[in-house]
Amino acid sequence: MKGIVLAGGAGARLYPITHAVSKQLLPVGGKPMIYYPLSILMLADVRDVLVITTPHDLPRFRTLLGDGSRLGMNISYAEQPRPAGIAEALLIGAGHVGTDTVALILGDNIFHGPRFSDVLARESQDVKGCVLFGYPVHDPQRYGVGEADGDGRLVSIEEKPARPRSNRAITGLYFYDDRAVDIAKDITPSARGELEITDVNRFYVEQGEARLVDLGRGFAWLDTGTPESLLQASQYVGTLEERQGCRIACIEEIALRMGFIDAEACHRLGEEAGGSSYGQYVMSIAKEMKV
């Protein structure tokens, strides 16, 4: 499976913070926002990732993440000059995806919950059709909403419906089979000239090949698109990390635990972080795993 992180856009709702820097480079709980979606792909055992961002911000992402080799990964980059819909990421990433399955995740979405790594490992294997992830919300009118039957098969999907058929919002994480790029090529742009990801998802729904994984209680799905939600996300991450003594979305730790790198390489990454508490944590994890 190939991975795509869509980290473009103007971040207009976060202005003026985003006037000089990409939203996905802003700190959340002491780490760049992009660490969170990247960590989700890593937990799904995706090692080949394309980061799509603006021409202005691309060099900064490259400086932050490099080619991914330090993490035992391959990270490449592509430009999205202007926002033109989530589904455009599939077209921009067509050469990257090739004939593989693909995991597409939005760069401003944060997921955290019990045993989520097990869910990702299960759902990313042998994807047929598409797998979407639903989260219960109190205001489904603001989201794309999925309705599933008792077996988890999606029977309908609507974008910001006036009368929602369920309270399951479709989150910004999508698993697709090898037809996704061709499907995206065939959809008609919206009145705003955008390629809507809901149209891609709806194709699979109409074919009876779409499933909805219900994230349910005890899970957190955070969108960091506004100053208020960005602050809430940082507070959420900070509180959990302080109480549990672990780091959420520590990509060096995940690379080690997933077997992408060994303990020695992880320890070196911690040393490179200097005297920061983050670097100290990475080195402590490396020592723990080496024993």
Side-chain angles (χ1 to χ4, degrees), residues 18-40:
T18 50
H19 183 62
V21 65
S22 167
K23 171 175 63 175
Q24 290 85 8
L25 291 173
L26 295 175
V28 177
K31 296 174 288 294
M33 188 186 299
I34 196 172
Y35 275 30
Y36 295 86
L38 180 60
S39 71
I40 296 302

Side-chain angles (χ1 to χ4, degrees), residues 121-170:
R122 181 181 70 246
E123 299 298 340
S124 62
Q125 296 299 312
D126 194 26
V127 176
K128 293 181 175 62
C130 81
V131 180
L132 307 179
F133 296 82
Y135 186 77
V137 295
H138 72 276
D139 50 354
Q141 299 88 348
R142 296 178 50 230
Y143 302 91
V145 176
E147 179 190 12
D149 63 19
D151 296 322
R153 184 175 62 90
L154 268 168
V155 296
S156 75
I157 186 168
E158 301 174 284
E159 187 66 28
K160 297 180 180 179
R163 296 182 178 180
R165 298 183 182 181
S166 84
N167 69 337
R168 268 22 183 200
I170 303 297

Side-chain angles (χ1 to χ4, degrees), residues 5 13 26 36 58 64 70 124 176 214 238 245 247 258 286:
V5 180
R13 292 182 296 167
L26 295 175
Y36 295 86
L58 192 151
L64 176 67
R70 295 162 68 251
S124 62
Y176 295 113
D214 190 357
R247 299 266 179 168
M258 292 296 297

Side-chain angles (χ1 to χ4, degrees), residues 66-289:
D67 64 3
S69 58
R70 295 162 68 251
L71 298 169
M73 301 177 66
N74 177 48
I75 300 178
S76 54
Y77 303 87
E79 296 180 356
Q80 185 187 42
R82 65 176 186 85
I86 296 172
E88 188 190 36
L90 294 170
L91 302 188
I92 295 173
H96 168 73
V97 175
T99 58
D100 289 330
T101 58
V102 59
L104 169 62
I105 189 167
L106 304 187
D108 62 356
N109 275 213
I110 295 176
F111 297 84
H112 182 258
R115 307 192 69 81
F116 192 40
S117 58
D118 294 340
V119 174
L120 293 169
R122 181 181 70 246
E123 299 298 340
S124 62
Q125 296 299 312
D126 194 26
V127 176
K128 293 181 175 62
C130 81
V131 180
L132 307 179
F133 296 82
Y135 186 77
V137 295
H138 72 276
D139 50 354
Q141 299 88 348
R142 296 178 50 230
Y143 302 91
V145 176
E147 179 190 12
D149 63 19
D151 296 322
R153 184 175 62 90
L154 268 168
V155 296
S156 75
I157 186 168
E158 301 174 284
E159 187 66 28
K160 297 180 180 179
R163 296 182 178 180
R165 298 183 182 181
S166 84
N167 69 337
R168 268 22 183 200
I170 303 297
T171 68
L173 174 63
Y174 318 87
F175 289 171
Y176 295 113
D177 65 14
D178 57 4
R179 294 173 291 168
V181 171
D182 289 334
I183 293 168
K185 289 178 180 178
D186 289 338
I187 65 177
T188 303
S190 68
R192 297 182 298 176
E194 297 184 352
L195 298 178
E196 303 289 353
I197 199 68
T198 297
D199 291 334
V200 175
N201 297 336
R202 190 173 287 120
F203 174 90
Y204 285 106
V205 171
E206 292 171 352
Q207 300 299 310
E209 297 178 310
R211 292 194 305 106
L212 186 68
V213 177
D214 190 357
L215 298 179
R217 283 191 171 189
F219 203 92
W221 169 53
L222 307 172
D223 178 355
T224 55
T226 67
E228 295 78 15
S229 61
L230 181 63
L231 176 60
Q232 290 168 1
S234 287
Q235 291 173 332
Y236 173 85
V237 171
T239 299
L240 281 182
E241 290 187 345
E242 181 178 355
R243 294 193 176 188
Q244 297 181 357
C246 63
R247 299 266 179 168
I248 298 172
C250 176
I251 56 178
E252 296 84 358
E253 178 182 4
I254 294 172
L256 174 58
R257 295 190 183 278
M258 292 296 297
F260 295 3
I261 60 176
D262 59 23
E264 288 77 9
C266 183
H267 195 275
R268 286 195 298 272
L269 293 177
E271 290 178 324
E272 291 174 12
S276 68
S277 61
Y278 186 88
Q280 294 294 324
Y281 175 81
V282 171
M283 287 190 288
S284 70
I285 291 297
K287 291 176 182 177
E288 173 188 313
M289 294 289 287

